Amino acid sequence: MPIFPKYTGPALLDQVVTVENLTIAWKRVRGNIQVARRGRSAGIDTVTIRDFEADWSNQMAGLADELRTGAYRPLPPLTVQIPKASGGERAIAILAIRDRVAQRAVQQVLQPLFEPLFLDCSYGCRLYVGVPEAVARVVRYANQGLTWAADADIASFFDTIDQQILMGLLRQRIDEPAILQLISQWLQVGAIHTAEDTPLVRAPVGLAALARRAGTALRGISALTAAPPVAPVPPPIGDPYGAAIWEQPDASGWGAPRRSGLDTGGLITLLSLAQPALEGARRLAPHLRQIGPQRLLLGSALAAGAIAAGELALRAHAATSGPRGTPQGGSLSPLLANIYLHPFDLAMTSHGMRMVRFMDDLVVMCPSHEEAVQALEFVRRQLAVLRLQLSAEKTQVTAYADGLTFLGQALAPRQTWPYLGQGLASFEEAERALREASRRASDQVHRRAGQVRQGVSKLRGRMRS
């Protein structure tokens, strides 16, 4: 039984490449960059928002034509490490401007297809809901008597998404090879990691330095030609909880080794083709800053060598570890993440779990400590099917009365006070309680009024004297 129903409407690619959709995508990409930073917003090709905007009509026409004909190829994103509020660092991918526009254009078309199918327990990167609504739901569950929480966080979620499972879920909904190929390219293009990666607050790396990076990658890539070890086949899933076909291993098993299809001879040939491109780009680098808009074309020559090196490294890496992860930073990643966790949401809610999930951060509210412990174990088993694990440091069972921190909000039970009618057994008792409460309120009002009158009399006496 499929998780998602098949889409049978108009061709999606035709919707992606319309002038209106691409223009909206460009406006959103440009709007996400502050004006002061638009000169420092480049990806691997060193083309900034301002550079792209200077030749906007030609760039957009070329991008639309590449998407329509299937000639489009994404550039490898730069990756920077930014500190996380909870400690440690998070890898953020900086895409080339053209790739940001293309991803946004696809996301705008796909979001309406999947959004109505997601469950109301999911709040992360959804339309019309967010952190306040997620927190309010947790509080509402607690007020209903579910005062124990299985508080969990998925470890390295975006980095460990299994691309094979993700593409299988996408194919259930989307039966259009051109769109699936685009998403597959963005997933597989990988990221360039070097010790020279600059933080977001600094200017983008210079062209000459970029050429040196790519040359370093080429010199070190020969180490990847060794025969990859065979990946171990994971044990079969015990106690399957769903009937979806995709949840079970195929004949070759999920853990079957993936071959890159590149032998040593083919690798050397591609390296020999990439090296001249890098050398030529290195010689051109001193002149690019003086050419103005022509950087848009010459920067592509520089990126060509980086693409070759990046793709070779990616294929050799995939042979040893399998395709995993979706880079954070692209506009499509949040949607893909929610698609990937939708089967998990279905499994949890179908078993009556009161879960609130915001991307990889989730809480299951339970009436007792024992049920919260069982719920946490259930979460582990469901995530294991998706090849995900919980973070040991950020996962715990806690009482709501002891305080619960969710999405940066410190939650605690509301302080309760005795109220009228507590413990009443008959209407006669209720009537007496109402009369007594009314009498006490009236006495308090008269007492306060007398105090006010005395204060006014004293003030008048002082004024006369």
Side-chain angles (χ1 to χ4, degrees), residues 115-335:
E115 181 67 27
L117 304 177
F118 292 149
L119 304 186
D120 62 356
C121 63
S122 171
Y123 288 84
C125 301
R126 297 284 308 280
L127 297 177
Y128 313 118
V129 294
V131 172
E133 290 77 15
V135 171
R137 187 163 187 176
V138 173
V139 173
R140 186 163 65 250
Y141 280 147
N143 293 336
Q144 293 171 358
L146 305 177
T147 56
W148 283 88
D151 184 16
D153 187 277
I154 303 175
S156 304
F157 171 56
F158 284 91
D159 296 333
T160 55
I161 287 177
D162 189 297
Q163 294 179 13
Q164 183 181 5
I165 296 177
L166 175 58
M167 292 304 298
L169 289 170
L170 287 167
R171 281 192 292 270
Q172 291 183 5
R173 183 70 169 145
I174 303 170
D175 189 18
E176 192 167 329
I179 297 296
L180 294 172
Q181 178 65 21
L182 280 174
I183 298 174
S184 179
Q185 287 178 358
W186 284 320
L187 289 174
Q188 294 179 8
V189 74
I192 295 178
H193 297 270
T194 73
E196 300 178 59
D197 281 340
T198 56
L200 289 173
V201 297
R202 293 178 56 186
V205 65
L207 297 176
L210 182 58
R212 289 195 299 272
R213 289 187 193 179
T216 302
L218 286 172
R219 288 192 295 272
I221 202 172
S222 60
L224 299 174
T225 60
V230 176
V233 178
I237 300 171
D239 188 20
Y241 63 86
I245 297 176
W246 69 269
E247 293 178 349
Q248 304 301 327
D250 54 23
S252 59
W254 280 342
R258 300 175 175 86
R259 301 296 179 183
S260 66
L262 284 175
D263 55 13
T264 304
L267 181 63
I268 294 175
T269 300
L270 288 177
L271 287 174
S272 65
L273 294 174
Q275 187 66 42
L278 290 171
E279 293 296 338
R282 187 182 295 113
R283 289 193 297 269
L284 287 172
H287 307 286
L288 293 183
R289 299 185 184 279
Q290 304 173 8
I291 297 178
Q294 293 185 11
R295 291 179 60 198
L296 293 170
L297 298 177
L298 296 176
S300 299
L302 176 63
I307 291 175
E311 287 185 349
L312 290 173
L314 175 67
R315 293 180 185 180
H317 175 71
T320 61
S321 63
R324 295 178 74 86
T326 174
Q328 296 186 67
S331 58
L332 196 58
S333 293
L335 174 61

Side-chain angles (χ1 to χ4, degrees), residues 3 51 83-84 102 105 115 120 217 288 314 346 359 386:
I3 298 293
D51 295 331
K84 296 192 295 185
E115 181 67 27
D120 62 356
L288 293 183
L314 175 67
L346 287 173
M359 301 308 287
L386 295 172

Side-chain angles (χ1 to χ4, degrees), residues 18-75:
T18 62
V19 173
E20 180 182 8
N21 187 57
L22 285 172
T23 302
I24 294 174
W26 157 249
K27 288 182 178 179
R28 290 179 175 173
V29 169
R30 183 180 60 175
N32 287 336
I33 304 297
Q34 299 176 1
V35 174
R37 294 184 56 238
R38 289 180 181 175
R40 302 177 287 147
S41 53
I44 191 71
D45 57 356
T46 75
V47 176
T48 66
I49 287 284
R50 290 175 180 172
D51 295 331
F52 195 95
E53 194 169 21
D55 194 31
W56 181 80
S57 59
N58 291 330
Q59 289 298 310
M60 294 295 286
L63 178 60
D65 185 65
E66 290 182 14
L67 291 171
R68 187 182 298 107
T69 61
Y72 170 83
R73 293 295 182 272
L75 301 175

Side-chain angles (χ1 to χ4, degrees), residues 416-420 422:
T416 59
W417 301 93
Y419 58 92
L420 180 65
Q422 185 174 17

